[in-house]
Amino acid sequence: MSFTEITPYGGQFPSSDDPASFDLRARELMSWLVANFAPEVAALSVELATALDGASSVLEAIAGGAMLPIGGEIFWTGTTLPDGFLEENGGAHERALYPRLWAHAQASGMFDPTGDDPAMFGPGDGSTTFTLPDARAEFLRVWDHGRGVDAGRALGSSQAEALGAHTHDLTVRSWQRNTDGGTTDRFDLNSGGGSTVTTSETGGEETRPRNVARMLIIRAR
């Protein structure tokens, strides 16, 4: 059945040339639309409202950090922490205030019961507090986990700075006494009897790539 067959006036919408007729037909057409499609429109409105509420809840959860599990880390671009997060600065916190993070710390594989490794969670005072890892001024490296590139590392362990093994070619110049019966010394390259040469110091306090500073924070509750 076509639209013209089921609508009033054969699908012909009222003309404004005749105000009285226009008003009557417009009212009749509106009544027909409400009578025939009101339930569908109402149901669609409910579905749309539900979908919008769900989307709003998701957005609020993302904004509030709920989409990140307890113990999850993110880089932060401010000095004021968002609700539910703590800075990974090695600080001590009450176990009772952050029970879920305390439970995560113990089960994470990154818990040092001695408290000696600042890169790990620690036991705090041993009864009421625990400590967070101290990630300040550190570079993060993805755990090797059996690949063999950075073998022998435990999850969360710290690693001292190092420079890869390498060599340098150095040409040594030295004075050598003439050995062919002459009396004149000569200046030779790579001649025997040369001395050990130490280059002058260069560089800064550490070896590092270019970098930018961010705060590392952890979801605590």
Side-chain angles (χ1 to χ4, degrees):
M1 184 177 293
S2 68
F3 178 74
T4 57
E5 292 176 312
I6 63 174
T7 55
Y9 312 110
Q12 299 297 314
F13 290 95
S15 171
S16 59
D17 294 338
D18 182 357
S21 176
F22 175 82
D23 182 68
L24 175 62
R25 292 193 176 190
R27 290 176 181 275
E28 290 177 346
L29 181 58
M30 183 60 67
S31 297
W32 178 86
L33 289 172
V34 170
N36 286 273
F37 292 101
E40 288 80 0
V41 171
L44 182 60
S45 298
V46 171
E47 292 180 7
L48 181 59
T50 301
L52 290 175
D53 287 343
S56 177
S57 298
V58 170
L59 292 175
E60 289 177 0
I62 293 174
M67 301 299 288
L68 188 70
I70 296 295
E73 300 173 324
I74 59 173
F75 285 111
W76 188 244
T77 54
T79 56
T80 301
L81 298 178
D83 291 340
F85 286 82
L86 297 171
E87 180 185 2
E88 289 197 18
N89 59 5
H93 299 276
E94 295 289 333
R95 299 179 184 182
L97 289 179
Y98 303 99
R100 296 170 65 193
L101 182 59
W102 168 233
H104 165 77
Q106 297 173 88
S108 65
M110 288 180 51
F111 184 75
D112 176 15
T114 68
D116 293 336
D117 191 341
M120 300 278 201
F121 291 101
D125 63 6
S127 59
T128 62
T129 66
F130 69 104
T131 55
L132 297 180
D134 193 351
R136 294 173 299 175
E138 300 286 2
F139 287 103
L140 298 183
R141 183 172 189 171
V142 177
W143 184 30
D144 184 282
H145 204 189
R147 184 181 180 188
V149 175
D150 186 32
R153 297 283 303 281
L155 179 64
S157 61
S158 57
Q159 188 178 56
E161 61 185 0
L163 187 64
H166 63 285
T167 61
H168 295 277
D169 293 330
L170 181 64
T171 299
V172 179
R173 295 182 176 182
S174 63
W175 288 101
Q176 183 182 37
R177 177 68 62 182
N178 192 309
T179 58
D180 58 4
T183 58
T184 304
D185 294 337
R186 65 176 183 268
F187 191 65
D188 289 343
L189 298 178
N190 294 323
S191 58
S195 302
T196 300
V197 176
T198 301
T199 62
S200 59
E201 184 179 276
T202 186
E205 296 180 353
E206 61 182 358
T207 301
R208 62 173 180 263
R210 289 181 56 178
N211 62 87
V212 294
R214 295 287 188 271
M215 183 189 293
L216 186 65
I217 61 177
I218 186 170
R219 188 181 172 213
R221 59 184 177 190

